[in-house]
Amino acid sequence: MKRIIAVNSNTYHDFTLEEAIKGIKEAGFKYIELTATKGWTEHVFPTMSLRELYEIEEQLIEAGITPISLSGHTNLMDNDRLDDFIANIRLAHFFGCKYIISSIGEAHLEDKAEVSDQKAADNIKNLIPYLEDYNLILGLENHGKHGTGKHLKKIVDLIDSERVVVNYDTANAIFYGEGDLDLKADLKTAVEKVGHLHLKDKAGAKAEWNFPALGKGKIDFEALFAILKENNNNSPFSIEIEFMEEGASDLEEVNQAVKESYDFLKEAGFEI
């Protein structure tokens, strides 16, 4: 099976982008999802100087690693943060990415009622001209109140633009979804609008922050891969490993988890 398979640089949350590029290359991967999440992982960021950005670009070129997407998570329901996201759109374009990824974010009306799906869709529609100008696709990630693919598909349907797709995070659906979520059923519900995936495993209890290397948790990836194949969905994968809540013990643990994930996907029949 041939598809683009990247590693999300957020996997190297406590480490430098240079260390991430080196580890990703040595594991055997050729693509990266760059992370520009304010206050969390700022491996690349719009406030960097042009010299800094060119230096990162050179590192990627020398390593033979291609940026396919940029994780630019911003609260898209906070109008005061939309300029931040537009800056991330421009940053993604600078690195030649095809996708920019964000969760929708949380917002409430004055009476604390949750904002409707239609309001969320209308807000995101304001970004479409920028996505068109910079030739990018926005992947909305299932997260928080919008934790399932089923819910996100409703919003993507309301937006009704080829520029906006579901970024399906396999572990977030379990972690944020209500009750004992049937992951296979949830993916099937959303699959026609899934355009990018975060492959993330889940171990431990439902609400436990425990996201190990692929194949080390409880997710039946073989069944998920079969659903994608049945629906001719060849969307890019971006591997994200977030370990336990305290993070990885050291850089060696991160590199080992990335290599284990590479081996897992090779064993599953993917060309990387």
Side-chain angles (χ1 to χ4, degrees), residues 3-174:
R3 74 169 70 221
I4 290 174
I5 302 178
V7 177
N8 190 328
S9 77
N10 186 55
T11 297
Y12 288 81
H13 166 63
D14 288 320
F15 304 95
T16 67
L17 180 58
E18 186 175 3
E19 289 169 325
I21 292 169
K22 185 174 186 290
I24 291 167
K25 176 185 178 181
E26 290 181 350
F29 292 98
K30 297 180 178 65
Y31 294 91
I32 190 170
E33 177 178 351
L34 296 168
T35 308
T37 305
K38 189 174 185 177
W40 182 245
T41 304
E42 299 179 6
H43 281 153
V44 295
F45 214 65
T47 55
M48 286 179 169
S49 69
L50 196 56
R51 173 176 287 184
E52 289 174 300
L53 295 174
Y54 279 144
E55 287 175 352
I56 292 170
E57 187 177 48
E58 281 298 317
Q59 290 174 29
L60 291 164
I61 291 170
E62 289 177 8
I65 302 293
T66 301
I68 184 64
S69 47
L70 183 138
S71 182
H73 287 270
T74 304
N75 187 343
L76 301 182
M77 294 307 299
D78 182 350
N79 288 329
D80 292 335
R81 293 295 309 281
L82 286 186
D83 284 345
D84 289 341
F85 192 70
I86 292 166
N88 278 342
I89 287 175
R90 295 182 176 120
L91 185 64
H93 176 74
F94 173 87
F95 282 106
C97 298
K98 183 176 180 181
Y99 301 87
I100 183 164
I101 309 301
S102 181
S103 52
I104 292 174
E106 316 303 341
H108 295 82
L109 301 174
E110 288 182 5
D111 62 1
K112 302 302 182 183
E114 291 181 12
V115 170
S116 69
D117 289 348
Q118 184 64 60
K119 173 60 177 172
D122 290 343
N123 221 46
I124 293 166
K125 283 180 182 180
N126 294 325
L127 295 168
I128 292 174
Y130 296 96
L131 297 171
E132 291 173 341
D133 286 347
Y134 292 97
N135 195 24
L136 283 162
I137 295 171
L138 168 58
L140 295 176
E141 179 172 299
N142 49 315
H143 189 278
K145 294 291 185 182
H146 312 95
T148 63
K150 181 179 181 180
H151 192 172
L152 266 190
K153 181 182 179 293
K154 291 179 181 178
I155 296 173
V156 169
D157 282 341
L158 289 169
I159 297 167
D160 191 24
S161 169
E162 62 181 10
R163 292 286 174 183
V164 183
V165 299
V166 173
N167 172 68
Y168 196 86
D169 187 304
T170 54
N172 281 3
I174 297 170

Side-chain angles (χ1 to χ4, degrees), residues 1-3 5 199 214-215 220-226 229 237 260-272:
M1 290 176 280
K2 181 68 174 178
R3 74 169 70 221
I5 302 178
L199 285 193
L214 299 187
D220 183 358
F221 283 106
E222 184 177 352
L224 301 186
F225 297 153
K229 186 175 181 180
F237 291 162
E260 288 172 346
S261 298
Y262 176 92
D263 293 340
F264 174 81
L265 291 174
K266 290 289 282 188
E267 183 67 25
F270 289 96
E271 299 176 36
I272 304 175

